[in-house]
Amino acid sequence: MKPIVRIVGILLIGIGLYWMGTRWLGLPSPGRLFRPSPVLIDETPVLITEIKQLANLVTIEASDEVAVGLVRPARGASAKKILEWISPAPIVTTDRLVLVVKGKLYAGTDLSAVDSSRIFIAGDSVSLQLPSAKILDIIVNPSDAEVFIEDGNWSQEETNQLVVSAREKLRQRATERGILNRADEQALMVLHEFLRLQGFNKIRILTQD
């Protein structure tokens, strides 16, 4: 009988020590040992889908105007060409067209580039890397162009081509003025609020650069 009593005593002591461990050392209770483990669902794909639904996030809209011009040798039998023919001294006559073109620029972030490599989720914490902002669109309207200088005869096609060439000049001016930096800042604010509304409390967002 003594061995049985000894075994029972050891078991009781062990049970008592384990019970104390569940109270003060954070050991799982016996009931929890036999419960099924919780199913962990990866929320990353769902969040990526919701972010991509925002598509091109336009954060900055700006208006600007630039001057663009063309110069070419005078054509045909224009008065300037006749002057070139009859002048005793060699001269070169030219036609010039200078337009002032107004345009509207839209800058923002292409959220379709966000994938699983750019996002990390742990509980109520999320870390997100955004693509750098870019100019998403530049709109110029030939009817809004103003003629500043017009020497010679210019076709409507030549005028329209000159208006279209103003797009690159508008892009360059906007970039030099820091429009992309401002677009990045706005995107960080918008996405931070978006993730907060998704239930995240610890949010870290940065741009690719």
Side-chain angles (χ1 to χ4, degrees), residues 30-167:
R32 290 175 58 189
L33 289 175
F34 299 99
R35 291 178 185 173
S37 300
V39 178
L40 300 178
I41 300 176
D42 185 3
E43 298 179 0
T44 303
V46 176
L47 185 59
I48 290 175
T49 300
E50 292 178 349
I51 291 175
K52 285 187 175 183
Q53 287 177 351
L54 298 176
N56 285 331
L57 177 64
V58 178
T59 53
I60 297 291
E61 177 182 333
S63 298
D64 198 3
E65 61 181 33
V66 294
V68 289
L70 287 175
V71 178
R72 71 183 181 198
R75 293 180 176 178
S78 66
K80 289 189 295 183
K81 195 68 176 178
I82 294 172
L83 178 63
E84 181 182 343
W85 289 339
I86 65 176
S87 174
I91 61 173
V92 177
T93 58
T94 59
D95 292 338
R96 287 194 303 162
L97 177 63
V98 178
L99 302 178
V100 176
V101 181
K102 299 177 181 178
K104 185 166 288 188
L105 300 94
Y106 298 90
T109 305
D110 180 11
L111 297 178
S112 65
V114 175
D115 56 28
S116 58
S117 66
R118 295 177 178 267
I119 190 166
F120 174 76
I121 298 175
D124 64 348
S125 301
V126 61
S127 177
L128 174 64
Q129 184 185 57
L130 292 178
S132 298
K134 61 182 181 180
I135 295 177
L136 301 173
D137 198 9
I138 302 175
I139 298 175
V140 294
N141 191 343
S143 63
D144 293 335
E146 299 178 2
V147 177
F148 185 67
I149 298 174
E150 185 176 13
D151 293 332
N153 296 319
W154 298 86
S155 67
Q156 187 61 49
E157 182 181 357
E158 291 172 318
T159 301
N160 291 343
Q161 289 176 350
L162 187 57
V163 171
V164 171
S165 71
R167 289 169 54 91

